[in-house]
Amino acid sequence: MLTPIEESYSDCPRLFCLPFAGGSGSGYRHWGTLTNDVTIVPVRLPGREGRILEPIPDRVETLVEQLVVELRSMLDGPFGVYGHSFGAIVAFELARKLERQGFSPRRLIVAGRAVPDDASIGSYDALAAPAAELFRGLERELVEVLRPAWEGDMVMSTAYRYSGSTQVHCPISAYFGMSDPWDGESSMSGWKFATTGEFAMRGFPGSHMFAFDESPKAVIAALVEDIGT
């Protein structure tokens, strides 16, 4: 289910936002208050919020097939796709699937997740370590509510296989937190090989969750520049 923040901004380019592992569309809700130049469209995935009773797919490809159907009615104008951490993988595969169906994003923005490879998937510490940031300060009861979605997303993430020959044609921007111990500038630079189009990188103050904690306003300004022009 997709929830546009402000219908009055429907003439602006839309940005479909995929959450990090265990996250939900509501994590992007405040972004819509920071700009009138891009319509922020949080994507609510199965197994959380109003979709809590829906089963979580066990493969990214299955999830993307479902999202394409749900997105189709909103592809009548310019749009971009954003994904943070685990969401970056989903955003990449979503952009690739949409391109094959004739819908080309203005830009794909990936944040806080390097391009995975076969060597890193099984032992990729960054899959689990950022959960400490997600769950920090939350009551135990709330953590237990969030944990099933996080675990389901981990199943998809660890099963995912990226092929170096698999590319999108739209431009890619890679965003990273300058203090991120897992997915900083060097690891994010690998996304340049995932597109036949333009590639750009942007660094922001903060760690793995920089787009939500330390630098949301700076990230929004960058998104407007990347998507809204």
Side-chain angles (χ1 to χ4, degrees), residues 67-117:
L67 293 177
V68 167
V69 173
E70 296 172 349
L71 276 168
R72 194 176 300 277
S73 65
M74 300 187 72
L75 301 176
D76 55 347
F79 70 93
V81 183
Y82 175 95
H84 196 96
S85 197
F86 164 71
I89 294 174
V90 181
F92 171 71
E93 290 297 337
L94 178 61
R96 195 163 69 92
K97 184 73 171 181
L98 290 174
E99 283 189 338
R100 292 203 301 268
Q101 296 193 7
F103 302 101
S104 182
R106 280 192 174 183
R107 186 173 293 264
L108 167 65
I109 301 98
V110 290
R113 178 65 192 263
V115 173
D117 56 43

Side-chain angles (χ1 to χ4, degrees), residues 10-35:
S10 59
D11 290 337
C12 298
R14 293 167 179 161
L15 183 64
F16 301 107
C17 298
L18 283 301
F20 46 84
S24 60
S26 61
Y28 293 104
R29 197 165 302 282
H30 71 290
W31 279 18
T33 68
L34 300 177
T35 178

Side-chain angles (χ1 to χ4, degrees), residues 155-218:
V155 169
M156 283 191 283
S157 188
T158 54
Y160 176 73
R161 292 297 183 269
Y162 168 76
S163 169
S165 62
T166 300
Q167 295 175 303
V168 294
H169 303 297
C170 65
I172 290 181
S173 287
Y175 292 6
F176 63 93
M178 291 183 286
S179 301
D180 189 337
W182 305 291
D183 293 301
E185 181 175 6
S186 61
S187 60
M188 293 298 292
S189 65
W191 282 102
K192 64 186 175 184
F193 302 112
T195 179
T196 61
E198 174 192 347
F199 176 75
M201 293 188 68
R202 294 181 184 265
F204 299 87
S207 187
H208 189 72
M209 303 298 287
F210 65 92
F212 307 95
D213 296 337
E214 298 95 337
S215 301
K217 291 183 179 179

